[in-house]
Structure formats: structure tokens, C-alpha cells
Amino acid sequence: MNTIRPIGIIGYGKYVPERILTNADMEKMVETNDEWIVSRTGIRERHIAAPEQATSDLAYEAAVQALKTAGMSAEDLELIIVATITPDTFFPSTACILQDKLGAKKAAAFDLSAACSGFVYGMATANGMLQTGMYNNALVIGADALSRITDYTDRNTCVLFGDGAGAVVLGEVSPGRGFLSFDLGAEGSGGSLLKLEAGGSRLPASEETIQDKKHYIYMNGREVFKFAVRVMGTATEEVLRKAGKGKEDIDLFVPHQANIRIIQSAMQRLDLPEEKCVINVDKYANTSAASIPLALVEAAEEGRMKEGDTILLVGFGGGLTWGASVLVW
Ligand code: ACO
């Protein structure tokens, strides 16, 4: 139980639902236009879950692929963490539903709620548990079906979100590889800037909460934008410092895909050229906890990282929260 060993990513997978909503489709739903959406956000289209698909179904597809690339079977899994703010149900957890679907009978399973930062929070949690020897492997998934909590009459939010899932299998890696550092943080005082008010123990769902649309995401976009630009910078600097690395050491930058302007401001601060940054917000929009793993897995599938590369992941989200990590691929 007391050994500290290097832990890294040994398998990865992703999934997005088939149905695509383009900006032209959004123009038919609310008063907006392609030019506004692209210039303010960088988003061109988003994938939307089918009516019969819940978050665990998206997570399952990504998980199966991640296990395959890890060369593992579900029965070998010891821990499952699902980061999500759109669980299938309050309980059982989405991780338990997924454990059953996968047949991962040996695995402990729980959900983690840190909105768009959830995947990095999940990897940090699993890394700690694996480093100490408590478990030997973990499946960490970021999965969200934000379309289920989006008000498609509110142009301020509905153009921004999409559905998807990304998964990694973590396990022991050779010395010098794997996670070098994490920086997690929260600013609960800003919680009301980005929230889903009704349906919890504070304000249980009722006819009135439905009428008032309190079962949908509320966001103060301008304030969240300012927070995002600030913490993307500070978290990046802090996680590099903890890893003993400088910005010149970054081979690939994998930011949360919420808004191209937020990503560009982080790149400027880091002095990073575009080819070192993964950007897919144009195709998937903001998929919350799935955003960073979707970007990471897509980059891996495209062969954008090689063994020994230094990767920096950073995201922010509801809570408010942020999470960053430096790892050697
Ligand atoms: N189409 C056309 N016009 C629009 C739209 C739209 N879809 N949405 C808003 N507008 C209008 C507004 O009504 C406003 O009009 P007004 O000036 O007459 O009031 C105008 O455009 C400008 O609005 P701003 O809010 O100033 O636009 P801004 O440039 O800030 O962009 C945006 C808004 C894209 C929401 C931006 O603030 C943003 O990206 N914020 C961060 C959001 C984010 O990253 N969230 C991540 C967390 S999500 C999670 O954790 C689940």
C-alpha cells in the first residue's frame, strides 16, 4: 500500500452520437446565425444523443474502445470513475450502471461531479489511488449529455453545448512516463454563475420549477468567460511549476473545448503555435466532462503524440472549478 509508482494512460477511446446539429439547424431554432456563433465561439456543429441514449450509453462506447486499446478485458478492471453532471439518474450512479453494462464485476465504481473539469479531477483521483497500490488499474471517463439539460429556446446557451464521451485506462507505466503533476481548484463563491437550480434537495423538481425552466443550465457567459481566461492561465503556470517544466517543454496542449477565444488567449499566454494545440470545438462544441478526453483521444488517434512527449491538459467549469495536468506520453 505504500509504494509510489508511475501511473499513466495505457488505453483510450471516445464516442460521439451520430446526430449532428449544425449552426444552420440552430438558426431554425433560435434567433442566431452562423457568423455570430463561429466568430464568438468557434463552434460549427455539435453531436446530440439519440432519445434512447443516456450518458452511460455514451460512456459505454468510449469505455469499450479504451479497454480494447489497453488490451484489457472488463473483468480485469479494479476501479471505474465517471465524471459527469448529466448522470443517467441521481442514483444508482452512472459508474455503477456502466460497471454492470461492461461486466466489470471486480471494479469499485463511483461518479464524480466537477462539471467540465471533472475528467481531470477523475484522473487525479484515480492516479492517487493507483500510485499507492490501492488499485492496479482504473477506467476514467468524462461523459455528458448536456443536450438533456439545455434550453433550446435560449440562444445564450443552446448554441454552445454538445454530447459525447471520452475514456482512458490508467495503469503503471515505465519510470519517466505518466503523470508528473496535477493542479485542481475550486471557487465555490462563483457557483451561481453556472448552475442547474432545480431537482436537488434545495429546490426539488415541481411544476413551478419546470415552468420557470430551472431544470435547464443557467449561465452568465461573460463572467464565466473572465473566470476561464484567468484560471486557464494560472492553472497552466502552476501545473508546469509542480512538474518542474517550462512552457517551452510542452509538446501538445489539450485545453477544454468551450470557446475558441478562451483557447486562443491561453495559447498566447503560453506562446504556443497552433500546431501544438488540439482544437475540435468546431466539431463537438462544449461537451463538458467529455471535452478534454475527446480532444486527447482524437489527437492520439491522429498520431499527434509520440512516446516521451509532454502533454498539458487544462480545463475549467461549473462549481466553479478548474483542473490541469502534465503528463509524459
Ligand atoms: N446568437 C446571436 N446573438 C447572441 C447569441 C446567439 N447565439 N447569444 C447571445 N447573443 C447576443 C447577446 O444577447 C448579446 O446581445 P446584447 O448585447 O444585445 O445583449 C450579444 O450577443 C453579446 O453577448 P455577450 O454575452 O457579450 O457575448 P460574448 O462575446 O461574451 O459571447 C459567450 C458569449 C459565447 C457565451 C461567451 O461569453 C462564453 O463563451 N462564455 C464562457 C462560456 C463557457 O466557457 N462555459 C463553460 C462552462 S460550461 C460547463 O461547465 C457545463
Side-chain angles (χ1 to χ4, degrees):
M1 282 291 275
N2 290 322
T3 50
I4 295 286
R5 49 188 183 163
I7 301 300
I9 294 172
I10 58 170
Y12 50 80
K14 70 173 195 334
Y15 176 77
V16 287
E18 265 173 46
R19 184 174 163 224
I20 293 175
L21 263 188
T22 64
N23 287 351
D25 296 325
M26 303 302 311
E27 285 176 13
K28 293 178 201 138
M29 298 163 80
V30 287
E31 199 183 322
T32 189
N33 57 76
D34 179 61
E35 197 280 325
W36 191 95
I37 301 173
V38 174
S39 63
R40 298 294 182 107
T41 71
I43 297 165
R44 293 182 185 278
E45 56 189 38
R46 61 292 284 144
H47 289 247
I48 303 294
E52 68 278 9
Q53 282 180 314
T55 296
S56 69
D57 301 311
L58 313 184
Y60 175 81
E61 300 295 337
V64 167
Q65 226 187 75
L67 287 168
K68 199 169 159 198
T69 61
M72 273 174 64
S73 78
E75 291 97 74
D76 300 329
L77 277 176
E78 297 184 9
L79 175 67
I80 300 173
I81 301 177
V82 176
T84 187
I85 52 166
T86 50
D88 288 26
T89 54
F90 263 2
F91 70 92
S93 70
T94 302
C96 284
I97 294 168
L98 181 66
Q99 185 234 22
D100 179 47
K101 275 188 190 164
L102 287 170
K105 293 200 175 79
K106 262 186 3 199
F110 65 93
D111 286 1
L112 189 153
S113 171
C116 308
S117 317
F119 179 72
V120 179
Y121 263 74
M123 287 203 302
T125 306
N127 177 57
M129 289 167 132
L130 266 58
Q131 271 191 335
T132 61
M134 185 175 174
Y135 296 112
N136 291 304
N137 60 58
L139 175 66
V140 180
I141 301 183
D144 267 308
L146 288 185
S147 63
R148 295 289 151 77
I149 55 168
T150 296
D151 176 1
Y152 283 96
T153 65
D154 175 15
R155 70 174 183 174
N156 291 299
T157 52
C158 72
V159 300
L160 304 174
F161 303 125
D163 302 337
V168 292
V169 178
L170 304 186
E172 188 165 357
V173 291
S174 47
R177 295 182 65 193
F179 296 110
L180 299 185
S181 64
F182 284 97
D183 183 56
L184 307 180
E187 214 168 275
S189 57
S192 62
L193 298 175
L194 182 51
K195 62 184 175 184
L196 192 154
E197 230 180 318
S201 57
R202 176 72 60 196
L203 187 62
S206 66
E207 280 179 31
E208 205 182 340
T209 64
I210 303 271
Q211 258 165 28
D212 294 345
K213 300 190 169 186
K214 288 186 172 163
H215 57 300
Y216 289 132
I217 297 176
Y218 162 84
M219 182 173 73
N220 180 331
R222 272 178 219 186
E223 289 306 314
V224 174
F225 192 95
K226 283 189 224 159
F227 166 79
V229 169
R230 171 165 57 87
V231 300
M232 290 283 277
T234 51
T236 300
E237 281 162 11
E238 187 57 16
V239 81
L240 281 171
R241 191 192 60 75
K242 287 182 184 171
K245 298 274 185 189
K247 53 188 183 181
E248 65 286 353
D249 296 317
I250 302 171
D251 294 304
L252 197 68
F253 181 58
V254 187
H256 172 40
Q257 309 284 316
N259 185 316
I260 190 74
R261 292 184 292 143
I262 296 171
I263 296 173
Q264 281 163 347
S265 87
M267 280 163 61
Q268 267 167 15
R269 189 158 169 166
L270 287 167
D271 240 338
L272 276 185
E274 196 148 311
E275 64 270 16
K276 286 193 173 183
C277 183
V278 183
I279 298 173
N280 61 15
V281 66
D282 52 325
K283 291 190 291 186
Y284 305 131
N286 181 350
T287 55
S288 191
S291 152
I292 290 179
L294 271 180
L296 180 73
V297 174
E298 193 157 273
E301 287 173 351
E302 288 169 1
R304 288 185 68 180
M305 49 261 221
K306 56 183 188 316
E307 201 174 312
D309 275 359
T310 299
I311 320 272
L312 195 151
L313 315 174
V314 61
F316 62 91
L320 300 170
T321 54
W322 68 85
S325 180
V326 174
L327 65 115
V328 175
W329 193 252

